[in-house]
Amino acid sequence: MANNRGTILPITLGFALVFTMLGTASLYMSTLQSEAQEKQVLSQKAFWLAEAGLIQYLHNWSLDPKVPPPTNQQPFADGGIYDAAVLIEGIIPRVTVTGNYNGIKRTVSAQFIKIPKAFENTISTGGNLTSHGAGIFYVNGKTRISGAYNREGWVSGGFYDRQVGVSQGDTTIPIPDYSAGDEFRDFVQFGMNAMGSYPAEQVVHIEADDGDTVWISPDDELIDKKVIFVESPTPGLVDVNILFGTTSPWQADQDLTVISTGTINYYQPLQFSEDSRLSVVAWDDYTEGSVLYSQHAGVTYAHDDVFLTDLLEIGSYTGNLIANGANPNPNLYDWPWPLNDTAINNDNGISLVELLTLQSYYYSSDVRDGDIPPGFELLFTVGNPHIFNWQEG
Amino acid sequence: MKSKKLFLVVLCCIILAAAISYRYYSKGRPKPEKQAKKETVVEPGKKKVNPSRPEDYGMMVTHGSISEEETQRMIAQKVKVLKSSLSSPDREKLKEKIKEDPKKTKEKLEKVDVAIRQCQEELAENPDNQAVKKRLQRLWTLKTIASELPK
């Protein structure tokens, strides 16, 4: 018995140690858990702060793109700040906003762009839409006409959704005002800026003389090119003729924009590749014709008129067709035949002339989804603000 | 003595555990950091692009109106180059896409010829009609494509 005396103390202390350790461990665990939960809440708050900053800046930017990005903003009474920064990637700004709530940070970023309303439509014109000849055409998606729709001859047209008398703000795209007044100079500057947005090896700049015609046809050297700018000294005095396409018709991922200070004529589009896109920007008119089965995907923008003429075989166009029709004449109901200067020079907007077979026009939402043809971003100075390529981190 | 040492060790452990717990509980929240990033702007249009030579890209440049024969010769040459540059499967694909009854092609060519005659008549009356001149050029081009490409 004498040997057992005093053992109660170490046993008690042992128990005390074990319970203390267990208590401490459980305390530690619960602390960790509570911390994790707190961090989660703070992280959520930081995320929504960042989102709030992004939306706030989108609003500010839509009113005035020159407004600097907000920094050190505390939008909510219970604390937390956000900082925004802008990085121009090519032409489209990427806005990065970091929300910071009690030291916990979350970052979100997205690209902002204004997309003109004309890109909601398959066909848009600031002038009239006139059909003449014999044949059938179908326009899927929206057709928006600021002037009138005139049908001559034996053309039967099917419009999924056609409206006339629409505001020109919804059917046309203005040239960005770089020079305060001289629109042609602005157009040339637009062409230069479009080229300047890409590496030199991806652009082709042709300086033509007045009265020249530049013939472009499929060529290996044009593979991977983004912008071809054909420039003449005088407005409207150069013709660009495109035959079949620009690279082999089956070249995948072609995404090229041809810009001309004169007219552009596209003969026999043969863009069979799914990823092929050929877009055009013409200071003057755009004409497209085909005698065999044709397929064209891209954005067509004519500052003046579009003539879809001499379409002698089944064909399809997928994209957005826009003709500003610089001086629309809504009273033009009698289309003189055969064509003469009076008819052509009346700035009709879009004309389907000598259509002899079935032509289909399909809407493409590529632009609205942020997949913008080379150079077109520079034309997007008006329209609804869009947010795309959102990402976290 | 032994039990005293043991007591001291256990006491130290308890104090240590209490200190750790206290540290976690009393940890102050870090102050928010201000992090204003600088705006980076790359202005478009800054890069100078030197004029290119059209022939380096297989382009041709003509000046003013060209005759029907010149148009035919030029388009026929382009079609020949295009066909020779195509791989065999691509050539078959093209044939399949544009194949049509020769009778139909003939009818189309006749229609194009009618339109060409209309333009020529119009030009005989008004030789300065630029719009008709341009359409005539387009019709010659399309006529050559219709006769050359399906071959």
Side-chain angles (χ1 to χ4, degrees):
Chain A
M1 282 301 284
N3 287 342
N4 291 337
R5 272 188 301 172
T7 55
I8 194 76
L9 184 63
I11 290 168
T12 309
L13 284 171
F15 273 109
L17 177 66
V18 168
F19 283 117
T20 308
M21 283 172 81
L22 281 173
T24 307
S26 103
L27 207 63
Y28 180 67
M29 290 298 286
S30 69
T31 306
L32 278 183
Q33 207 173 6
S34 129
E35 257 190 13
Q37 273 175 350
E38 194 183 358
K39 269 185 186 170
Q40 181 72 20
V41 170
L42 292 177
S43 174
Q44 288 290 330
K45 284 186 174 180
F47 174 82
W48 288 112
L49 264 172
E51 277 288 278
L54 198 68
I55 300 304
Q56 180 60 54
Y57 186 47
L58 176 68
H59 174 72
N60 298 352
W61 178 86
S62 67
L63 298 174
D64 181 3
K66 286 173 189 154
V67 168
T71 53
N72 200 21
Q73 299 293 305
Q74 190 170 1
F76 306 114
D78 64 340
I81 58 163
Y82 68 76
D83 288 305
V86 178
L87 173 71
I88 309 286
E89 290 178 343
I91 297 162
I92 309 174
R94 173 168 284 279
V95 177
T96 305
V97 184
T98 302
N100 184 337
Y101 205 96
N102 290 342
I104 305 294
K105 293 177 185 173
R106 291 278 291 271
T107 299
V108 294
S109 74
Q111 287 182 287
F112 293 176
I113 195 159
K114 286 180 182 174
I115 298 183
K117 281 203 83 174
F119 284 94
E120 292 173 9
N121 314 325
T122 310
I123 290 182
S124 313
T125 176
N128 303 315
L129 196 153
T130 306
S131 61
H132 188 107
I136 307 165
F137 67 90
Y138 287 108
V139 184
N140 300 281
K142 295 179 189 172
T143 302
R144 295 291 180 266
I145 307 161
S146 293
Y149 171 56
N150 313 306
R151 194 167 67 171
E152 308 280 331
W154 296 271
V155 171
S156 81
F159 293 93
Y160 176 75
D161 173 6
R162 185 188 74 213
Q163 282 180 18
V164 295
V166 176
S167 158
Q168 285 192 336
D170 295 348
T171 57
T172 62
I173 309 176
I175 306 294
D177 187 9
Y178 297 112
S179 67
D182 186 340
E183 205 179 14
F184 182 68
R185 236 176 90 191
D186 292 339
F187 187 87
V188 173
Q189 187 60 50
F190 151 72
M192 301 304 278
N193 287 355
M195 285 194 300
S197 311
Y198 290 90
E201 61 275 15
Q202 287 190 326
V203 301
V204 178
H205 182 204
I206 305 294
E207 284 185 337
D209 292 324
D210 286 348
D212 277 356
T213 301
V214 178
W215 299 75
I216 303 174
S217 53
D219 195 278
D220 286 348
E221 289 298 319
L222 292 173
I223 291 172
D224 296 331
K225 293 286 178 285
K226 293 293 174 196
V227 175
I228 298 177
F229 179 37
V230 181
E231 184 189 357
S232 63
T234 312
L237 287 188
V238 65
D239 284 345
V240 176
N241 291 349
I242 304 168
L243 295 168
F244 315 124
T246 52
T247 58
S248 166
W250 300 274
Q251 177 64 39
D253 299 326
Q254 173 187 263
D255 191 10
L256 175 77
T257 299
V258 180
I259 303 169
S260 165
T261 55
T263 62
I264 296 179
N265 307 304
Y266 193 0
Y267 295 99
Q268 190 57 58
L270 291 172
Q271 293 171 243
F272 300 143
S273 169
E274 297 255 324
D275 306 316
S276 174
R277 184 162 68 170
L278 179 65
S279 304
V280 296
V281 181
W283 166 260
D284 204 348
D285 298 334
Y286 171 78
T287 307
E288 185 170 312
S290 61
V291 282
L292 303 163
Y293 173 79
S294 73
Q295 199 168 313
H296 179 191
V299 174
T300 297
Y301 168 50
H303 180 249
D304 204 359
D305 304 324
V306 166
F307 294 93
L308 305 164
T309 180
D310 300 307
L311 297 156
L312 307 183
E313 188 48 79
I314 292 168
S316 73
Y317 176 96
T318 306
N320 315 98
L321 224 151
I322 301 155
N324 276 13
N327 300 302
N329 178 3
N331 298 320
L332 185 82
Y333 289 103
D334 299 316
W335 183 277
W337 186 253
L339 292 179
N340 57 38
D341 270 348
T342 315
I344 299 293
N345 291 332
N346 263 331
D347 289 318
N348 293 293
I350 295 177
S351 303
L352 290 149
V353 190
E354 274 303 283
L355 179 79
L356 293 176
T357 52
L358 173 65
Q359 295 293 316
S360 302
Y361 297 89
Y362 298 100
Y363 176 69
S364 166
S365 64
D366 283 358
V367 170
R368 281 174 59 83
D369 295 340
D371 184 9
I372 298 161
F376 273 79
E377 308 97 326
L378 291 161
L379 293 170
F380 292 179
T381 53
V382 293
N384 297 327
H386 279 250
I387 191 165
F388 66 97
N389 282 343
W390 182 95
Q391 61 189 47
E392 194 184 352
Chain B
M1 276 307 281
K2 242 182 184 179
S3 56
K4 268 185 184 174
K5 274 181 186 172
L6 198 63
F7 177 75
L8 277 173
V9 169
V10 171
L11 201 67
C12 284
C13 286
I14 292 168
I15 290 166
L16 196 69
I20 291 167
S21 305
Y22 177 76
R23 186 175 160 264
Y24 273 96
Y25 275 113
S26 62
K27 191 174 70 177
R29 286 171 174 166
K31 287 177 186 173
E33 290 169 28
K34 288 177 187 176
Q35 207 182 41
K37 287 181 185 170
K38 278 190 177 177
E39 190 180 354
T40 310
V41 180
V42 179
E43 281 183 36
K46 284 281 181 192
K47 282 172 271 170
K48 171 91 179 132
V49 178
N50 294 321
S52 316
R53 293 181 342 141
E55 56 271 29
D56 291 345
Y57 301 94
M59 298 178 195
M60 288 187 299
V61 180
T62 56
H63 189 79
S65 302
I66 56 170
S67 68
E68 184 175 4
E69 290 72 30
E70 270 181 290
T71 308
Q72 279 173 349
R73 186 184 51 75
M74 201 170 65
I75 305 299
Q77 192 191 332
K78 279 285 166 198
V79 170
K80 204 175 159 187
V81 169
L82 171 71
K83 282 184 173 175
S84 66
S85 67
L86 289 176
S87 64
S88 182
D90 285 349
R91 206 173 297 133
E92 289 307 311
K93 212 169 164 184
L94 175 65
K95 270 187 192 169
E96 198 185 305
K97 285 281 181 188
I98 62 170
K99 73 174 176 192
E100 65 178 11
D101 186 354
K103 223 174 166 182
K104 198 178 169 188
T105 309
K106 202 181 160 196
E107 280 172 21
K108 272 191 218 167
L109 288 171
E110 281 169 6
K111 279 175 186 164
V112 173
D113 278 334
V114 169
I116 286 174
R117 273 200 300 278
Q118 279 181 331
C119 287
Q120 284 168 334
E121 284 165 16
E122 180 72 22
L123 277 178
E125 281 177 29
N126 183 5
D128 297 325
N129 191 325
Q130 291 303 317
V132 176
K133 271 186 188 175
K134 284 191 174 186
R135 180 157 192 246
L136 188 59
Q137 184 78 70
R138 282 201 301 273
L139 290 166
W140 285 338
T141 305
L142 290 172
K143 186 183 169 184
T144 314
I145 290 169
S147 52
E148 291 292 328
L149 200 59
K151 278 179 196 168

